[in-house]
Amino acid sequence: MTTAGTLETVSENCSHGGVQGVYRHASASTGTQMTFSVFVPPHADGAKLPVLWFLSGLTCTQANVTEKGEFRAACAEHGVIFVAPDTSPRGEDVPDDEAYDFGQGAGFYVDATQAPWAQHFQMRSYIERELPALLAEHFPADMQRQAISGHSMGGHGALTIGLRNPDRFRSISAFSPIVSPLNCPWGDKALGGYLGDNRSDWREYDACALIEDGARHANLLVDQGTADNFLEEQLRTELLVDACKSAGMPAEIRMQPGYDHSYYFISTFMAEHVGWHARHLQG
Ligand SMILES: N[C@@H](CCC(=O)N[C@@H](CS)C(=O)NCC(=O)O)C(=O)O
């Protein structure tokens, strides 16, 4: 048996009849310690449960959604494991940028190719390969039943990782996602920095471009607040609506009146997202 790695328990708390944990491990992908949280709902001995991944946004660690996401009651009701990774490698040896939207806390779920970022910023490999192996080894996770969600930069992560891996993820949802890094200032800065100037290299990290290039998924749900101050310049939900329409891909993209970009918005619709994923994860 291959060993995916050892895990250090940072904290474990009983919650909703299950266990909310925070764990740390040495990541081969990023070459750093990485922290993530896992909620395991109550379950019968020996049972394997489906998994919902949640990728967070700019400035976040695993803690933001864990503390403010209000997912646990729904995950306990539906018997779904909830996994929240960090958004980037961190540490004194890891390069950073003064700004909040590039560098530590802003990994954009890519495998960087450009110096000095490439050495540690390998978040695509971390989320797509390394962390799933660790999860399968240490938790009662049924890796045949996975779904993915996320917020903002993490919504971009959920859409792109989900669209690239339709056989692994039965459903994809996102809250206020960056739908096209090719067409917004956050994307220009981050993907330019991590991947270089050749914009064709960015397409596998752009949900709209992936759909234009042929990626499809049958189960896609997006919620976007109309009072989100990042909507017009950075998130640009309309580009995803257009891409899905042009491709003939059904998607439920909902504009939610009055909601902003915060966890007050996310937590309002979180239980609905968990329930929607749980339906796709049955059987
Ligand atoms: N207000 C933030 C902008 C970034 C932001 O809104 N981040 C979102 C994700 S894109 C978030 O969830 N922030 C942390 C939180 O609300 O807990 C800042 O200027 O640092």
Side-chain angles (χ1 to χ4, degrees):
M1 198 180 103
T2 55
T3 303
T6 52
L7 208 57
E8 178 191 344
T9 300
V10 178
S11 63
E12 283 186 335
N13 295 88
C14 287
S15 186
H16 292 272
V19 176
Q20 176 62 63
V22 178
Y23 307 94
R24 189 159 47 216
H25 69 118
S27 164
S29 308
T30 66
T32 64
Q33 294 284 312
M34 292 293 286
T35 304
F36 62 97
S37 79
V38 182
F39 176 64
V40 179
H43 59 282
D45 272 357
K48 295 265 192 190
L49 307 179
V51 179
L52 175 58
W53 296 82
F54 188 92
L55 306 182
S56 293
L58 291 167
T59 74
C60 291
T61 68
Q62 82 295 330
N64 299 67
V65 70
T66 305
E67 293 165 5
K68 300 192 289 192
E70 299 182 24
F71 55 84
R72 273 175 291 269
C75 285
E77 179 189 340
H78 297 288
V80 173
I81 291 176
F82 191 97
V83 185
D86 201 348
T87 57
S88 80
R90 295 176 193 275
E92 282 178 15
D93 300 337
V94 177
D96 199 9
D97 188 89
E98 295 289 296
Y100 75 95
D101 55 0
F102 186 51
Q104 296 189 33
F108 270 82
Y109 305 100
V110 306
D111 281 351
T113 57
Q114 305 298 300
W117 311 101
Q119 188 187 351
H120 297 293
F121 284 75
Q122 299 294 318
M123 288 300 290
R124 173 186 185 167
S125 295
Y126 179 67
I127 302 290
E128 286 189 346
R129 290 203 297 274
E130 184 175 3
L131 198 49
L134 198 70
L135 192 78
E137 187 181 334
H138 293 279
F139 296 89
D142 178 355
M143 304 308 279
Q144 302 306 312
R145 293 188 289 157
Q146 297 184 67
I148 191 162
S149 184
H151 172 232
S152 197
M153 175 185 73
H156 142 77
L159 292 173
T160 53
I161 291 172
L163 284 163
R164 287 197 306 262
N165 298 281
D167 296 337
R168 175 175 155 204
F169 298 104
R170 294 195 190 178
S171 45
I172 308 170
S173 80
F175 300 87
S176 11
I178 301 167
V179 304
S180 183
L182 278 157
N183 291 294
C184 70
W186 277 344
D188 277 338
K189 181 174 180 179
L191 271 53
Y194 294 135
L195 304 175
D197 293 336
N198 184 351
R199 294 169 70 90
S200 62
D201 293 342
W202 303 15
R203 294 185 70 80
E204 59 185 328
Y205 297 111
D206 183 296
C208 293
L210 281 165
I211 293 168
E212 274 169 38
D213 294 347
R216 296 290 181 269
H217 204 292
N219 304 314
L220 178 61
L221 169 65
V222 172
D223 274 318
Q224 172 63 55
T226 60
D228 183 329
N229 53 353
F230 296 117
L231 174 55
E232 277 180 32
E233 191 185 12
Q234 305 282 9
L235 307 175
R236 308 205 53 194
T237 317
E238 78 281 1
L239 297 178
L240 183 63
V241 173
D242 291 347
C244 290
K245 205 176 281 173
S246 300
M249 183 174 122
E252 206 173 335
I253 301 174
R254 312 187 300 192
M255 300 307 290
Q256 301 289 3
Y259 287 95
D260 63 18
H261 196 66
S262 71
Y263 271 92
Y264 293 105
F265 164 59
I266 300 169
S267 59
T268 301
F269 295 97
M270 179 63 91
E272 204 184 324
H273 281 233
V274 171
W276 180 82
H277 285 294
R279 283 199 295 284
H280 294 294
L281 292 168
Q282 272 169 12

